[in-house]
Amino acid sequence: QVRLVESGGGLAQAGGSLNLSCAASGSIFNIISMGWHRQVPGKTRELVANINFRGTTMYADSVKGRFTISRDKTTNTVLLEMNSLEPLDTAVYYCTLRQGWSDVADYWGQGTQVTVSS
């Protein structure tokens, strides 16, 4: 089994910054990608940022230029630096991991709340 433990998040003012960290442990092998999704009550979960095994990153249009995702392969940790935060960034943020060979599995963290006040 794979365990994803998120840390960081909390409360920030608009224009401020927060950092999220996620450490993966357990039966880790052949990680394809790690990333972050977020969800607001009543809305579907959306991809925020993703980084694959080559280090290629992708971002939601709404966070491009403000958020940066990075990964430490030695510790299987993924970081999300969030700058210039906006109230619309308020959500529960979930760490994700995809791994496998022919059979691919997705894993999700418990989620961490990010609240941005105006």
Side-chain angles (χ1 to χ4, degrees), residues 53-67:
F53 68 99
R54 293 190 181 94
T56 302
T57 58
M58 61 178 294
Y59 298 92
D61 287 343
S62 59
V63 307
K64 282 180 182 176
R66 301 188 298 120
F67 291 11

Side-chain angles (χ1 to χ4, degrees), residues 23-80:
S25 62
S27 300
I28 303 293
F29 66 97
N30 194 39
I31 294 177
I32 297 170
S33 65
M34 295 185 73
W36 294 90
H37 285 66
R38 67 186 181 188
Q39 187 169 25
V40 176
K43 294 189 176 181
T44 57
R45 200 170 288 188
E46 66 170 352
L47 173 68
V48 176
N50 196 54
I51 184 167
N52 69 11
F53 68 99
R54 293 190 181 94
T56 302
T57 58
M58 61 178 294
Y59 298 92
D61 287 343
S62 59
V63 307
K64 282 180 182 176
R66 301 188 298 120
F67 291 11
T68 302
I69 189 170
S70 61
R71 178 186 163 190
D72 185 339
K73 289 186 176 180
T74 62
T75 59
N76 292 323
T77 300
V78 65
L79 305 174
L80 186 67

